[in-house]
C-alpha cells in the first residue's frame, strides 16, 4: 500500500476549512505501513508555482492556451478578467455592486445557496455528492425531480451547517440530486465562470486537419483535452475543486447508464446551464452556441479522468522554475518553453562542475526535457499551414540544434576531453601529464608521435 500525495481538487476536509493549501498528504501512524514508498504528486511544483507566484503561473498557462485557440484582444481580456463578458441581446452578469450586496447578506446568515463558492460551502455540498455515489443505479437520476418538502428540509440543514444523515431513509436519491442542481443553479456565476465562456466555445471548434492542412469536421480530441487541462488550471481553486468532484460524479453516473438511463449527453443537458451557460441568459440568447455548450459538457464528462492533470511541459517548466535558474521565461509560445529547457541545460552543467558522478541525474533531466519538447513539437506539426507555423518550425530547428550542442558538451568524446585538458594545462602540467609515457615526447610547441604514426596525429597547442 502506498501513501499518495493528493493534488488540489480532492475531497475537502470539512474540519480545517483551509483554502490556501498547495497540496495535502495522507499521514498514517500505522507502524505496519512504515517504510512503504510514498508516491509524489506529479503536479506538486505546478501547485507550488500557482500558490507562490500566481502572476508567473498565469502567464505560463495563458501563453499556452493562446497557442491552442485563437482569442482576439477582447476575448483574451475577458479570460484575464480585464473586461466583463458581453452577451447577445444585451444580457450579461449582474452588476458587481448588487452581487456583492446580496453575497454579504447571505454570508451574515451563513447561507451557502446563492452565495459565492467557498471551500466551506463545498464541504457541505460534498455530503450530497458522497451520498449520490452510493446510489448511481436509480433510474432517471438528475432528471426526475424530488419532493419539494424534503428538499427544503435538506436545504435549510445545509444552510445552517448541519451534518445530515442521508442514510436514514428519510430522503430519496432524487431529492438529493435535484438539490445539487439547485445549488449550482443559484451560484452567482456558472461553475466554469463568465471569464472562461468564450474560451470554451473556441475549444469546441478545435478540429483536425487533413494532410493538405485543411480543417476537417473531425474534433481534435487531444488538443481539446490539452486546452481544457490548461483552462482548468486557472480556475479559482474552489471552482476547480467542486468541478472535479462534480465531473467525477457524472462520469461514474454515465458508466451506469444501463441502469439509470442517463448517458453522458443526457447528463450534459441537465448540467450545462449551471456549469457553462452565463447567468441571466436564455436559450434564444445563446442560439447556435447551445449545441457547442451541451457537446462540450458531454465531452468533459467523458474525459473527466484526464482533465485535472497539468500537461507534461507545464509540469516541466514549473519544476525547472524551482530547481533550475530563476530567470523568467518569455511570453512567446516556443520561447517560453525554450527558456525552461535553457534552465535545464544550465542546471546540468552546474551539477557536472560540482559532482562528477551526477550523470544519471543529468540524463533524467534531459529525458524529461526531450519528452516535453516532443509533445510541444507534435502540436506545432498539427497546426494549419500559416506564417506562424513556419516561424515556430524555424524556432524548433534552432532549439533542436541547441539541444544537440548541449548533448555534445555533456557527453564529450575522449579526444575532445584530452584536447580540452591540454589547452587548460600549464607547460609543467603538460609535461607531467605525459611523463613516464614512452609513446609521446613533449616539445614547447608540438606533440611528437612515434614514427609511422605522424600522419594525421600532429597538433599545435
Amino acid at each position: 500500500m502506498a501513501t499518495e500525495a493528493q493534488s488540489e481538487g480532492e475531497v475537502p476536509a470539512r474540519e480545517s476549512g483551509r483554502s490556501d493549501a498547495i497540496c495535502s498528504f495522507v499521514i498514517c501512524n500505522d507502524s505496519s505501513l512504515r517504510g512503504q514508498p510514498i508516491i509524489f504528486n506529479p503536479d506538486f511544483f505546478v501547485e507550488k508555482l500557482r500558490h507562490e507566484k500566481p502572476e508567473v503561473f498565469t502567464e505560463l498557462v495563458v501563453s499556452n492556451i493562446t497557442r491552442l485557440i485563437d482569442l482576439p484582444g477582447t476575448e483574451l481580456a475577458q479570460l484575464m478578467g480585464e473586461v466583463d463578458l458581453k452577451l447577445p441581446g444585451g444580457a450579461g452578469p449582474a452588476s458587481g455592486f448588487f452581487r456583492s450586496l446580496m453575497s454579504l447578506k447571505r454570508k451574515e446568515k451563513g447561507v451557502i445557496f446563492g452565495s459565492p463558492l467557498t471551500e466551506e460551502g463545498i464541504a457541505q455540498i460534498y455530503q450530497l455528492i458522497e451520498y449520490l455515489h452510493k446510489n448511481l443505479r436509480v433510474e432517471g437520476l438528475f432528471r426526475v425531480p424530488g419532493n419539494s418538502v424534503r428538499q427544503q428540509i435538506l436545504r435549510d440543514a445545509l444552510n445552517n451547517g448541519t451534518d445530515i444523515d442521508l442514510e436514514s431513509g428519510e430522503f430519496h436519491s432524487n431529492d438529493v440530486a435535484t438539490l445539487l442542481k439547485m445549488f449550482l443553479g443559484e451560484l452567482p456565476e456558472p461553475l466554469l465562470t463568465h471569464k472562461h465562456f468564450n474560451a470554451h466555445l473556441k475549444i469546441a471548434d478545435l478540429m483536425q486537419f487533413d494532410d493538405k492542412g485543411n480543417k476537417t469536421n473531425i474534433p481534435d480530441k487531444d488538443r481539446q483535452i490539452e486546452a481544457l487541462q490548461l483552462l482548468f488550471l486557472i480556475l479559482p481553486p474552489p471552482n476547480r475543486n467542486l468541478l472535479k468532484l462534480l465531473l467525477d460524479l457524472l462520469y461514474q453516473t454515465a458508466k451506469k447508464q444501463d441502469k439509470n438511463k442517463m448517458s453522458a449527453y443526457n447528463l450534459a443537458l441537465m448540467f450545462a446551464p449551471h456549469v457553462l451557460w452565463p447567468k441571466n441568459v436564455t436559450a434564444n440568447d445563446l442560439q447556435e452556441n447551445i449545441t457547442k455548450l451541451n457537446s462540450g459538457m458531454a465531452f468533459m464528462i467523458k474525459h473527466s479522468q484526464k482533465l485535472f492533470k497539468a500537461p507534461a511541459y507545464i509540469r516541466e517548466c514549473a519544476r525547472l522554475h524551482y530547481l533550475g535558474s530563476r530567470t523568467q521565461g518569455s511570453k512567446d509560445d516556443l520561447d517560453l518553453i525554450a527558456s525552461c529547457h535553457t534552465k535545464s541545460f544550465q542546471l546540468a552543467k552546474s551539477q557536472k562542475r560540482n559532482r562528477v558522478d551526477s550523470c544519471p541525474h543529468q540524463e533524467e533531466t534531459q529525458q524529461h526535457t526531450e519528452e516535453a519538447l516532443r509533445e510541444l513539437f507534435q502540436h506545432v506539426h498539427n497546426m494549419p499551414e500559416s506564417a506562424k507555423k513556419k516561424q515556430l518550425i524555424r524556432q524548433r530547428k534552432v532549439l533542436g540544434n541547441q539541444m544537440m550542442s548541449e548533448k555534445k558538451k555533456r557527453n564529450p568524446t575522449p579526444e575532445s576531453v584530452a584536447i580540452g585538458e591540454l589547452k587548460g594545462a600549464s607547460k609543467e602540467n603538460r609535461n607531467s601529464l605525459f611523463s613516464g609515457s614512452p609513446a609521446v615526447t613533449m616539445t614547447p610547441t608540438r606533440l611528437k608521435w612515434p614514427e609511422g604514426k605522424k600522419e594525421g596525429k600532429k597538433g599545435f597547442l
Side-chain angles (χ1 to χ4, degrees):
M1 182 183 298
T3 304
E4 183 170 2
Q6 296 177 327
S7 63
E8 181 181 339
E10 293 293 325
V11 177
R14 300 184 64 228
E15 293 79 11
S16 64
R18 288 179 64 89
S19 60
D20 58 347
I22 301 172
C23 63
S24 59
F25 294 87
V26 178
I27 300 174
C28 181
N29 293 323
D30 188 347
S31 59
S32 65
L33 297 178
R34 291 176 183 171
Q36 297 297 319
I38 296 176
I39 301 175
F40 181 69
N41 174 14
D43 284 350
F44 172 78
F45 288 111
V46 176
E47 299 298 338
K48 182 177 174 67
L49 186 63
R50 182 220 303 267
H51 177 73
E52 295 181 354
K53 298 186 177 180
E55 292 182 359
V56 174
F57 175 80
T58 301
E59 181 180 285
L60 171 64
V61 174
V62 171
S63 66
N64 282 283
I65 290 175
T66 55
R67 173 175 56 82
L68 291 168
I69 58 177
D70 180 27
L71 291 175
T74 302
E75 293 179 3
L76 180 59
Q78 289 169 359
L79 178 63
M80 302 299 292
E82 297 169 357
V83 298
D84 290 334
L85 176 66
K86 303 296 182 183
L87 296 171
S95 70
F97 173 76
F98 289 106
R99 188 164 60 241
S100 301
L101 181 62
M102 294 303 294
S103 297
L104 286 173
K105 288 182 178 180
R106 294 187 180 100
K107 211 168 187 180
E108 290 173 359
K109 299 177 183 179
V111 174
I112 64 170
F113 280 79
S115 297
L117 197 58
T118 63
E119 298 292 354
E120 292 79 5
I122 295 173
Q124 284 292 91
I125 291 300
Y126 180 67
Q127 296 178 88
L128 308 182
I129 295 174
E130 186 178 37
Y131 173 79
L132 290 170
H133 268 291
K134 303 173 185 177
N135 296 272
L136 297 176
R137 297 175 179 272
V138 176
E139 185 171 344
L141 191 65
F142 296 113
R143 185 182 72 242
V144 178
N147 180 276
S148 60
V149 175
R150 293 194 299 260
Q151 288 170 19
Q152 187 61 49
I153 295 172
L154 275 177
R155 182 187 179 107
D156 292 340
L158 291 171
N159 277 333
N160 293 329
T162 307
D163 286 338
I164 308 166
D165 183 11
L166 294 173
E167 304 293 344
S168 65
E170 181 181 356
F171 305 103
H172 190 273
S173 301
N174 290 333
D175 302 331
V176 179
T178 302
L179 196 64
L180 176 59
K181 287 196 300 180
M182 289 174 60
F183 172 78
L184 295 170
E186 293 182 22
L187 289 173
E189 65 174 344
L191 188 57
L192 288 173
T193 73
H194 289 122
K195 295 191 299 184
H196 292 194
F197 175 71
N198 282 308
H200 282 284
L201 292 179
K202 293 296 179 70
I203 290 173
D205 285 334
L206 286 174
M207 300 294 170
Q208 295 182 14
F209 291 87
D210 59 24
D211 295 337
K212 297 180 180 179
N214 299 317
K215 191 174 183 179
T216 68
N217 293 323
I218 305 173
D220 192 333
K221 294 182 179 179
D222 290 339
R223 284 202 297 161
Q224 288 177 332
I225 288 173
E226 182 189 356
L228 288 171
Q229 287 175 332
L230 293 168
L231 207 55
F232 288 0
L233 285 174
I234 55 174
L235 277 173
N239 296 63
R240 188 169 187 262
N241 292 345
L242 181 56
L243 179 67
K244 187 177 189 304
L245 294 172
L246 177 65
L247 288 181
D248 187 58
L249 173 64
L250 299 181
Y251 173 80
Q252 299 298 335
T253 303
K255 285 178 67 175
K256 300 288 192 301
Q257 62 179 303
D258 59 322
K259 301 294 183 182
N260 56 42
K261 312 302 180 187
M262 296 299 292
S263 65
Y265 192 78
N266 289 338
L267 292 167
L269 296 178
M270 300 292 104
F271 282 90
H274 309 312
V275 174
L276 276 169
W277 289 22
K279 297 297 181 179
N280 306 322
V281 299
T282 64
N284 289 333
D285 293 326
L286 296 174
Q287 296 178 359
E288 73 277 2
N289 288 331
I290 288 182
T291 301
K292 288 183 184 179
L293 296 172
N294 292 339
S295 298
M297 185 70 209
F299 184 87
M300 286 187 280
I301 294 172
K302 292 176 183 177
H303 300 278
S304 63
Q305 307 305 299
K306 302 177 183 178
L307 300 182
F308 294 89
K309 302 173 184 177
Y313 54 85
I314 296 294
R315 292 200 302 265
E316 181 71 359
C317 283
R319 185 179 70 85
L320 291 172
H321 181 85
Y322 287 99
L323 300 184
S325 167
R326 297 292 176 137
T327 306
Q328 186 172 343
S330 167
K331 293 181 181 180
D332 185 72
D333 301 337
L334 283 181
D335 287 349
L336 181 63
I337 304 302
S339 69
C340 293
H341 304 314
T342 300
K343 297 172 190 174
S344 176
F345 299 147
Q346 293 170 349
L347 174 62
K349 287 191 287 185
S350 174
Q351 289 175 332
K352 188 171 183 178
R353 286 194 298 267
N354 295 332
R355 294 184 59 190
V356 178
D357 59 346
S358 62
C359 291
H361 177 77
Q362 294 174 12
E363 292 174 359
E364 182 180 356
T365 300
Q366 175 65 9
Q367 183 179 358
H368 286 308
T369 301
E370 290 178 353
E371 288 176 359
L373 269 179
R374 279 195 295 270
E375 183 176 340
L376 180 61
F377 292 161
Q378 183 60 41
H379 290 299
V380 174
H381 178 73
N382 292 335
M383 291 174 63
E385 296 298 330
S386 64
K388 182 177 181 180
K389 179 177 179 179
K390 292 178 181 178
Q391 180 186 4
L392 295 179
I393 290 176
R394 286 196 299 270
Q395 291 175 328
R396 168 186 173 177
K397 291 179 180 177
V398 172
L399 187 56
N401 292 336
Q402 180 185 3
M403 290 183 63
M404 290 299 295
S405 175
E406 292 295 336
K407 267 189 174 181
K408 291 179 181 178
K409 291 179 182 179
R410 279 193 296 272
N411 303 294
T413 61
E415 292 83 357
S416 63
V417 170
I419 292 173
E421 290 177 347
L422 288 173
K423 286 183 178 180
S426 64
K427 292 180 181 180
E428 293 80 3
N429 289 338
R430 293 173 198 158
N431 288 323
S432 62
L433 181 65
F434 292 95
S435 63
S437 173
V440 182
T441 58
M442 295 293 299
T443 69
T445 59
R446 182 188 303 269
L447 283 176
K448 290 186 177 180
W449 300 86
E451 292 296 329
K453 295 186 180 180
K454 290 182 180 180
E455 186 176 353
K457 296 293 185 180
K458 296 181 180 179
F460 291 92
L461 297 180

